[in-house]
Amino acid sequence: MTKDKDFKKLVRSRMTETGENFTTARQTLLDSANSATNPAVPNAAEAIDQSVLRFRTKTLKTFMSSGRITAIPTKRRALVVLLIEIVATLDADRIYDEKALNEHLADFHPDFALLRRELIDYRLLERNPHTGRYWVNPNPSTPTGPQAQEMAGFEAFLR
């Protein structure tokens, strides 16, 4: 749930008008803000962008220091912020072997295997299972289910 009071007011207003539950009303507002075609919700995109930026800034300040991850967050949404930061440091045109990728990820945190698995799970990296080669996914598919909620708003930070 968002901590942005203005956005909560918009969601609760929609709940009252439509009878939708909080999750459905929130998702509808997020979708309409992303498409920017709903004149009934003029401030939704602005509220979402600000809350995403605040969350990203707070997460980076809390979990990163001098370009290294100080602790792996337990909250998935915070982990997504860190994964996007890591992907931004990878060369999009390069194919990495596992050793080179592990060395790069170890520069961020000693548990490079966890980072590698999460990058694959969120489809930020692709892997050839036969050769063990990795590359940045140029067109990450649209996440579904819980991953969609965890990544909502952070698409703009992907290349």
Side-chain angles (χ1 to χ4, degrees):
M1 196 179 323
T2 181
K3 292 182 181 180
D4 189 353
K5 292 178 185 176
D6 294 335
F7 187 63
K8 280 185 181 178
K9 287 178 186 176
L10 290 172
V11 173
R12 298 215 186 276
S13 172
R14 179 168 178 86
M15 289 170 61
T16 304
E17 292 171 11
T18 64
E20 297 171 331
N21 64 25
F22 186 90
T23 305
T24 304
R26 178 182 178 275
Q27 190 59 48
T28 303
L29 288 173
L30 288 171
D31 292 343
S32 67
N34 288 336
S35 65
T37 58
N38 190 347
V41 191
N43 297 327
E46 208 173 279
I48 295 164
D49 291 343
Q50 291 303 312
S51 67
V52 167
L53 287 174
R54 281 195 303 270
F55 181 79
R56 179 178 178 272
T57 303
K58 181 180 176 186
T59 301
L60 292 176
K61 186 186 252 186
T62 304
F63 294 104
M64 287 193 87
S65 175
S66 302
R68 291 190 48 85
I69 298 172
T70 56
I72 303 282
T74 55
K75 304 244 181 197
R76 305 296 295 176
R77 190 156 169 84
L79 179 60
V80 166
V81 171
L82 298 180
L83 294 176
I84 290 172
E85 290 297 309
I86 292 169
V87 164
T89 66
L90 293 169
D91 184 4
D93 298 327
R94 180 176 172 194
I95 297 177
Y96 295 85
D97 64 0
E98 190 163 346
K99 183 178 179 182
L101 182 63
N102 288 345
E103 288 172 359
H104 185 80
L105 296 177
D107 289 342
F108 289 96
H109 193 270
D111 194 354
F112 54 82
L114 172 74
L115 295 175
R116 188 183 63 237
R117 283 191 305 269
E118 294 295 344
L119 287 165
I120 296 293
D121 287 348
Y122 280 97
R123 297 178 199 96
L124 299 174
L125 284 183
E126 288 290 320
R127 176 181 187 265
N128 182 328
H130 303 295
T131 62
R133 306 258 181 207
Y134 299 83
W135 60 93
V136 175
N137 188 351
N139 300 312
S141 59
T142 304
T144 58
Q147 284 187 350
Q149 291 176 343
E150 295 157 4
M151 294 187 77
F154 295 112
E155 299 86 4
F157 296 102
L158 294 171
R159 295 179 207 204

